[in-house]
């Protein structure tokens, strides 16, 4: 069974940084693009980043571009998201998500639930002064 376990969330002040981790199991990790999506209370999902199988190609939303960095370690079945220069607007529950199809990566258009699916409980990031 697919399992995605997020960790690393916490409370930080504006301008601070945080690194999230997602450990995957139950599928061939190296065959799937991965992504991070966040959700604020009562709001829709917002995809923030994605990374292809080999970790060479990456996508970021305009709201986090230049501040967040996505990476993966296929040997550890783990994806990371480094959140830098955090702002209060970054407060949300962060989920990792796997591509719904193997050997695929959409580098242009923003990801949607047609492209990636969540399997974990997420990790909470709270940015406040």
């Amino acid at each position: 069974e697919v399992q995605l376990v997020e960790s690393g969330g916490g409370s930080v002040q504006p301008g601070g940084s945080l690194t999230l981790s997602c450990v995957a199991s139950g599928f061939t990790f190296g065959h799937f693009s991965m992504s991070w999506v966040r959700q604020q209370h009562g709001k829709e999902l917002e995809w923030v980043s994605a990374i292809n199988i080999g970790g060479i190609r990456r996508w970021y939303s305009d709201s986090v571009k230049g501040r967040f960095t996505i990476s993966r370690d296929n040997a550890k079945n783990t994806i990371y998201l480094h959140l830098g220069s955090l702002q209060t607007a970054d407060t949300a529950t962060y989920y990792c998500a796997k591509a719904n199809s193997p050997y695929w990566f959409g580098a242009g258009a923003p990801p949607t639930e047609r492209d990636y699916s969540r399997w974990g409980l997420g990790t909470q990031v709270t940015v406040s002064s």
Side-chain angles (χ1 to χ4, degrees):
E1 180 178 350
V2 173
Q3 291 187 329
L4 300 176
V5 182
E6 301 94 342
S7 63
S11 298
V12 297
Q13 294 182 333
S17 62
L18 209 59
T19 298
L20 309 182
S21 299
C22 171
V23 179
S25 62
F27 64 100
T28 304
F29 183 76
H31 290 180
F32 290 84
S33 296
M34 298 293 295
S35 65
W36 286 95
V37 60
R38 67 186 181 186
Q39 186 173 41
Q40 297 177 334
H41 182 69
K43 297 184 178 180
E44 64 186 11
L45 293 171
E46 178 192 11
W47 258 266
V48 297
S49 190
I51 188 167
N52 76 328
I53 292 171
I56 302 301
R57 292 185 291 171
R58 302 170 179 180
W59 175 89
Y60 298 96
S61 67
D62 291 339
S63 63
V64 308
K65 192 176 301 181
R67 299 188 298 115
F68 292 6
T69 302
I70 190 171
S71 62
R72 66 189 295 163
D73 187 337
N74 288 348
K76 297 181 179 180
N77 284 4
T78 302
I79 186 172
Y80 306 93
L81 185 68
H82 178 71
L83 304 84
S85 301
L86 282 163
Q87 305 165 1
T88 56
D90 295 318
T91 295
T93 301
Y94 285 72
Y95 304 87
C96 62
K98 67 177 287 292
N100 293 330
S101 299
Y103 316 114
W104 171 88
F105 181 73
T112 70
E113 288 185 286
R114 290 185 176 183
D115 304 314
Y116 295 90
S117 295
R118 299 174 295 162
W119 297 88
L121 300 177
T123 185
Q124 178 67 35
V125 172
T126 302
V127 185
S128 62
S129 58

